[in-house]
Amino acid sequence: MSPHLPAVAPAVTAELVAALPPRLRKRLDGGIAKLSARPVVRDGDVVRIAVDDDTALELHAPGGTVTTAEAIRCGCLLAPACLHRAAAASAAPIADGDTGHEADPVTGADRDGSTGPLGSTDAPAAPAASGSPDGPARPSAPDRPDGCGDPTRPDDPTRPDDPTGPGGRTLPEGPHDPGATADPRATAEQCAAAEAVLGAAAAVLDTGTDGAGAVAQAELLRAAHAARLTGLPRTAATAVAVVNGLRAARSADPAYRLADLAGRLRDLLTTAHRLPYATGTELADLRGTARRAYTPEGSLRLYGLFCEPVVTASGYAGAVTWTTDAEGRLHTVSDVAPGGPARATGAADRAVRLGDTALTHRRLSREGLAVSGATVSADGRLGAGSGVRAVRARGAGWHEDPLDRLWAVPVAEQVASALAGERHGLLFLGLTVVGTVREAAGDCLLADCGGVTVRLTVADDHPDLAYRENLRLLAETRGTPLRAVARLVTASHARAGLLAVTHPTEAGTRLDLGLDRLQRADLPPSATTNGTTTQPGSFLPAGPTTQAGATAPDGPTAPVGPAATVPRTVADQSPLHLLRRRVHQAVSGGRRMLALDRDAAAEARHLRRQGLATAADLLDRLHAAAADRGRDPFGRLLPVDTGHFARSWLAAAVYADEVDRALCTAAWGGEV
């Protein structure tokens, strides 16, 4: 996907690829690679690509988006049925068909199954529940806070739509898509569209990312366009997110995460599969809504919490400022627009788009606002309509009312709310760093949080953001009590992506870890010397002696010297990873990879010995579906039943996610 090309509507890409003759379809992926290497020149709303010395390709994008097939013009002899037009559309970013905004390729749908959006929906979503023990997911995406900028997420405060709409046009509040009515059942057109999405997604799963080239992606985009036209914005946007994930995988995008793509595919298959059978609230959630609704809220007194930078793989960047009112309800103010990492850090110093206030996002995160005529969406995003008035007000420290109440909620209760899709997955933690842990994705902090040993990872691993560097320096604050805001990551152990902390030496000062850069001079005196605690008052729970010579809590080792590999906890030793690995392998290598696997029977036996009989049965069925190839009376192989394999894969993926959620609840001290 070229960042220099304008966004192209999904229907345009599908139309151009469908118009290609079979011989050119086979050459489409090669054509995309060649075209991506050619020089691109932008002249206003026109983007020109020099196909060769004598031929030019033009993309006419009024408003920054190509909305018709005729807007892509080629000067070669085979035009308009040439390979160049389809290759250009397939190489360009994917636009949101309703708003003209580019859809976020990364976060896609939330892995807990509640997506609605990377179109938005009013269904509850748990962005924090996404992720994997291998490291935090980069929104995508999606999306970056986990899933930020994801148009498929109902609770995404960074989605680049606005109640005033493009060009300042006032948009209707509330659902306005044809499927948003309270029909008892999905219409025949919606069921047919869902069936088409299922077929296209199953075909992608059959080949895996290695075989899902531009033609397979175009089929999924065609199905997504049909779903949007029939009033299924949630399904449409999630399908677009899957295509973006496929493109990221095939282009070796460093932002790509296999777990993210597996989660989006699971969400897409779940939504399309359930739609024909759903009624009532479930049906409304599965349909989603094309735009978030804003309702009048009157007057609000807001207190700044922290500011979070946003960088999406789809080319959007900016900042989101989190605030809370006196009752502890979270509200967000965002400034996300096309741009790169520089815009993410720069947006923090821009004035917030709310009334006539001159407060920047960075200052708002430490001060407050008094808002009148406020409008708020269901997910807490503040509207910026012409009737909104806002003035600067005094803020509050994290240890002062009303912010202090956020940290007073028991951690297990916060985790339960996050897993249920509430409060944007944010956790408010009082913790003490006790060591570091070396993982494949990089070192993470090990901290004690009310008796729970938590692994704290970077919220976004983008190299231009300050998270990784700050996390490395925070490792030297062992023994210093800190308050932190983190985003829950669903894993078999307690895990969260660190977003903001109190300053380790300056009382009352907070650090936005994605924006502020902690200096070594800001650190307290070293808490360790030669692996032993020397700073008075430093905290390290009693427990067995580690290899570094320090004590550690029961469970994972908490080394206070250099980062070391930590022994697994009981939850980490769960053999569920055997099933999860096969689920991910199917997404990457397709059905054939599982069909040729010779270890399936042994892994299923191991799962049964460990008491996971259901997981073993699902693994057996997944491998059986992968190898299921019947023959006709003449001994010829029959076509693959991609639907059967997709259903088997979906059952395994849903089961693995639900077990992970149960293990996550137990790891944080909650009741399963």
Side-chain angles (χ1 to χ4, degrees):
M1 179 170 59
S2 173
H4 305 293
L5 298 179
V8 177
V12 173
T13 304
E15 179 183 345
L16 291 176
V17 173
L20 291 177
R23 64 181 182 83
L24 291 183
R25 286 194 180 193
K26 296 178 181 179
R27 298 167 50 190
L28 181 55
D29 291 316
I32 294 173
K34 292 180 180 179
L35 199 65
S36 299
R38 302 302 298 169
V40 178
V41 177
R42 181 181 292 270
D43 181 12
D45 290 337
V46 179
V47 175
R48 294 183 177 88
I49 306 173
V51 177
D52 54 40
D53 294 339
D54 302 319
T55 306
L57 181 69
E58 292 185 351
L59 290 82
H60 294 256
T65 304
V66 177
T67 57
T68 64
E70 292 72 21
I72 302 180
R73 305 166 189 173
C74 183
C76 74
L77 295 177
L78 295 178
C82 65
L83 183 67
H84 304 132
R85 298 174 70 222
S90 300
I94 303 173
D96 183 330
D98 267 352
T99 65
H101 290 303
E102 181 181 349
D104 188 346
V106 188
T107 50
D110 294 327
R111 262 173 293 207
D112 67 343
S114 39
T115 66
L118 277 189
S120 112
T121 135
D122 291 334
S130 59
S132 73
D134 294 331
R138 286 196 70 243
S140 59
D143 311 168
R144 12 132 343 232
D146 186 28
C148 278
D150 182 353
T152 64
R153 293 184 41 181
D155 58 346
D156 181 6
T158 71
R159 189 182 178 203
D161 58 1
D162 188 285
T164 58
R169 299 190 307 273
T170 301
L171 297 173
E173 294 190 349
H176 64 272
D177 55 275
T181 57
D183 296 335
R185 292 281 185 181
T187 65
E189 292 79 8
Q190 290 174 337
C191 291
E195 186 66 26
V197 169
L198 276 176
V204 166
L205 190 60
D206 181 67
T207 61
T209 58
D210 294 341
V215 174
Q217 296 168 24
E219 289 299 321
L220 190 51
L221 289 178
R222 178 186 293 277
H225 179 62
R228 186 178 295 278
L229 291 180
T230 58
L232 300 176
R234 172 176 177 172
T235 301
T238 309
V240 169
V242 169
V243 174
N244 279 320
L246 292 172
R247 292 184 177 183
R250 293 175 61 84
S251 63
D253 188 335
Y256 168 70
R257 297 292 184 271
L258 176 58
D260 292 345
L261 179 56
R264 289 180 218 127
L265 261 175
R266 189 215 67 176
D267 292 336
L268 180 61
L269 290 170
T270 300
T271 304
H273 174 73
R274 281 295 307 158
L275 190 81
Y277 312 102
T279 59
T281 303
E282 181 189 8
L283 177 59
D285 291 346
L286 292 175
R287 283 171 168 163
T289 56
R291 287 194 180 275
R292 61 166 56 85
Y294 287 81
T295 58
E297 193 71 19
S299 298
L300 288 175
R301 177 66 168 88
L302 302 176
Y303 300 85
L305 273 171
F306 69 99
C307 186
E308 180 178 15
V310 176
V311 180
T312 74
S314 60
Y316 278 90
V320 178
T321 301
W322 297 80
T323 66
T324 183
D325 59 19
E327 285 73 39
R329 296 177 299 175
L330 297 177
H331 301 276
T332 59
V333 182
S334 63
D335 180 2
V336 179
R343 193 188 188 283
T345 54
D349 295 315
R350 295 172 181 262
V352 299
R353 295 183 298 171
L354 199 66
D356 298 324
T357 179
L359 275 179
T360 64
H361 284 269
R362 195 186 299 270
R363 290 182 58 190
L364 174 57
S365 68
R366 290 159 173 79
E367 299 184 27
L369 278 179
V371 185
S372 62
T375 57
V376 183
S377 67
D379 60 345
R381 178 172 175 174
L382 293 170
S386 58
V388 178
R389 298 289 182 270
V391 296
R392 176 184 175 183
R394 188 185 69 85
W398 283 2
H399 290 80
E400 302 172 359
D401 278 336
L403 302 188
D404 183 65
R405 304 174 193 173
L406 298 172
W407 277 265
V409 180
V411 175
E413 185 177 329
Q414 294 187 51
V415 172
S417 297
L419 290 174
E422 302 172 4
R423 303 181 70 80
H424 308 274
L426 296 183
L427 303 178
F428 301 89
L429 310 174
L431 50 86
T432 304
V433 176
V434 296
T436 54
V437 180
R438 179 162 297 147
E439 298 181 333
D443 294 349
C444 65
L445 297 183
L446 200 65
D448 178 84
C449 179
V452 176
T453 302
V454 183
R455 297 186 190 186
L456 299 172
T457 67
V458 292
D460 190 331
D461 211 6
H462 197 288
D464 290 328
L465 300 181
Y467 287 113
R468 177 63 66 185
E469 180 182 343
N470 285 333
L471 197 74
R472 188 178 300 112
L473 289 175
L474 283 174
E476 301 184 25
T477 64
R478 298 179 183 89
T480 304
L482 299 171
R483 278 195 169 182
V485 182
R487 181 171 281 113
L488 177 68
V489 177
T490 303
S492 57
H493 53 274
R495 188 181 191 87
L498 205 55
L499 294 165
V501 298
T502 50
H503 199 285
T505 58
E506 299 179 21
T509 302
R510 65 193 73 165
L511 292 170
D512 298 327
L513 296 181
L515 297 169
D516 303 324
R517 293 192 180 271
L518 187 65
Q519 303 297 321
R520 189 170 297 276
D522 297 330
L523 301 177
S526 177
T528 63
T529 301
N530 297 327
T532 58
T533 302
T534 59
Q535 178 178 325
S538 61
F539 177 83
L540 199 61
T545 302
T546 70
Q547 293 179 354
T551 57
D554 294 333
T557 306
V560 292
T565 302
V566 175
R568 293 177 176 176
T569 63
V570 174
D572 290 329
Q573 295 171 354
S574 168
L576 185 68
H577 72 276
L578 297 175
L579 180 63
R580 172 76 68 185
R581 181 175 61 182
R582 300 309 180 194
V583 167
H584 289 175
Q585 282 181 344
V587 176
S588 178
R591 177 188 54 81
R592 291 183 179 180
M593 176 172 285
L594 296 187
L596 299 175
D597 188 357
R598 299 180 179 179
D599 299 328
E603 292 177 349
R605 288 194 298 269
H606 182 64
L607 287 169
R608 288 191 175 89
R609 285 196 299 268
Q610 297 296 320
L612 295 174
T614 301
D617 291 342
L618 290 171
L619 184 59
D620 283 338
R621 293 181 183 181
L622 181 60
H623 283 283
D628 184 15
R629 292 295 304 273
R631 294 183 180 272
D632 64 14
F634 299 99
R636 295 171 298 191
L637 285 173
L638 295 173
V640 177
D641 186 354
T642 57
H644 179 206
F645 178 67
R647 289 190 296 272
S648 300
W649 180 89
L650 178 60
V654 170
Y655 173 84
D657 286 341
E658 289 302 316
V659 173
D660 272 347
R661 290 164 64 85
L663 291 174
C664 179
T665 300
W668 286 91
E671 296 183 1
V672 181

